[in-house]
Amino acid sequence: MSDYPFFFTWTDQRRAVPIHLTGGDGAFVDTADGGRWLDLASFSFQANLGHGHPRMRAALAKQAEELCVVMPNAIFPAKQELAQRLLELAPEGFSRVFFTLGGAEAIENALKIARLVTGRHKLISRYRSYHGASMGALSLSGDWRRPPLEPGLAGVVHALDCYCDRCPFGHKVDTCQRECARHIGDLLQLEGPRSVAAVVLETVVGANGVLIPPSEYWPMVREACDRHGTLLVADEVLSGFGRTGRCFAFEHFDVVPDMICLAKGLTGGYAPLGAVLVHDRVARHFDDNVLACGLTNYAHPLGCAAGVEALAIYADEGLFERAAALGPTLLTDLRAALPAGHAAIGPSRGIGLLAAVELDLPASGWKALAAGLDARRLFVHLYPSRGTVVFAPPLCIAEADMKAGLAGFGEALAEALRAADADRSPS
Ligand SMILES: Cc1ncc(COP(=O)(O)O)c(C=O)c1O
């Protein structure tokens, strides 16, 4: 039972597991009990730059000295520079940035923009997805976090997933007709040819299992959206800023979305900031129509300064390229660490420094796995309700540390499997 005067998130308070952080550097994190943990998760997928980066600290301190409190129509160098740099990273034709304080607000404002521009209200997303905890973003989300809060936003329709290892249409990726992409076209038609404002998809599904679409998926969805005058929104909150080995995950696919939602890696977690990058064909609508969106801390100076410095560090340290180079090792070593031939081990997948393995464990097995990881001081994303473990180390992680961490995960898993097998065997 935690006895703190604040809530812990996504848990009943009795089962909250507080962790007293004191600092960190690179891929390592320090705790008050003297522990040093290897972060194979990037905390909540935001610590792409690693921990305790001296340049990030200095940039925040400098901005704090210069200017901290602004109003939404304020102009200052970090705001202009960050918007400019983000538009340079985006595909040709993107002309405006809408700043927010995080990922959910980026999604929230993208869907508001889509509704304002199209005059339509329906939205399509997918079941295996998470888009944020605010009501609009949660309504789009498909995982366990949505049902407790329903009813959500009216007009949201969930599509079946692009999940090649467990295809909801019963196909195999080498013989299918990309039914999952056609399905989105069917939904656009069935919902009423001119009623869907936007299709909102994680480019590569993150926390819901690292689902990587085949190359045709995104172009087919793009084509269906174009056919129906529907806007296409890429949620790059988790997959953006090098996580998949490119700046944005959609760069792996031949597609240009209409809006791109960003947060997490945008500042590497050093300050709260999100953004929506908007294509000019959408942005122009607001030249003569009111943009009915806003927030008090729009483009907060600390967030903008952190964003500018984060982008500089990504470039100077070659972190996107590093994620691309280390990605194959992450997946190979993860697979090598999995106890061979055990029935509990399911499919594994990866792209860049983002990888997942499915595990069929009883509750006691998940508990034993968590204990084994704690004992080895390894941060990993364990999702018992989804039967999945997700790895997303900081992009600066040393190869040797990553390999050692994955070997440690393999040992912890072997112990957990032994415990689960003992539980299952008749006494
Ligand atoms: C894909 C995706 N979109 C949106 C969000 C919401 O971001 P935030 O928690 O910053 O509101 C998340 C957070 O995990 C996410 O993974």
Side-chain angles (χ1 to χ4, degrees), residues 16-215:
V17 186
I19 176 153
H20 191 153
L21 299 175
T22 52
D25 56 279
F28 287 93
V29 182
D30 302 320
T31 49
D33 59 2
R36 192 160 169 78
W37 294 64
L38 178 63
D39 184 4
L40 292 177
S42 293
F43 278 176
S44 302
F45 296 100
Q46 82 275 41
N48 292 13
L49 299 163
H51 303 279
H53 203 298
R55 280 180 60 180
M56 291 302 294
R57 289 177 173 163
L60 283 164
K62 183 165 175 286
Q63 184 64 49
E65 285 292 326
E66 284 171 12
L67 175 73
C68 259
V69 185
V70 296
M71 67 281 206
N73 62 347
I75 290 165
F76 54 93
K79 181 176 182 177
Q80 296 209 178
E81 188 175 346
L82 181 57
Q84 197 56 49
R85 295 212 183 289
L86 287 172
L87 293 174
E88 282 163 16
L89 288 172
E92 210 183 315
F94 277 73
S95 66
R96 288 281 189 278
V97 180
F98 186 92
F99 286 110
T100 68
L101 292 175
E105 272 183 354
I107 296 289
E108 216 64 53
N109 284 283
L111 71 86
K112 284 174 69 179
I113 289 172
R115 282 183 164 186
L116 289 167
V117 169
T118 62
R120 307 172 180 184
H121 82 283
K122 291 191 186 181
L123 300 156
I124 292 178
S125 57
R126 290 179 301 205
Y127 280 101
R128 282 178 181 266
S129 67
Y130 179 65
H131 297 287
S134 56
M135 278 311 286
L138 198 62
S139 303
L140 291 171
S141 300
D143 73 19
W144 67 273
R145 289 170 273 200
R146 173 172 50 85
L149 271 306
E150 288 187 312
L153 201 64
V156 175
V157 177
H158 288 90
L160 292 171
D161 300 290
C162 177
Y163 186 0
C164 300
D165 285 321
R166 298 181 194 276
C167 174
F169 303 90
H171 291 291
K172 295 274 172 241
V173 70
D174 39 0
T175 51
C176 81
Q177 301 294 310
R178 309 303 183 237
E179 281 74 7
C180 49
R182 291 171 195 271
H183 168 63
I184 289 185
D186 291 346
L187 288 181
L188 285 167
Q189 181 66 33
L190 290 166
E191 285 299 320
R194 266 176 290 280
S195 70
V196 180
V199 170
V200 182
L201 307 176
E202 288 179 74
T203 314
V204 167
V205 171
N208 276 272
V210 185
L211 307 182
I212 305 154
S215 56

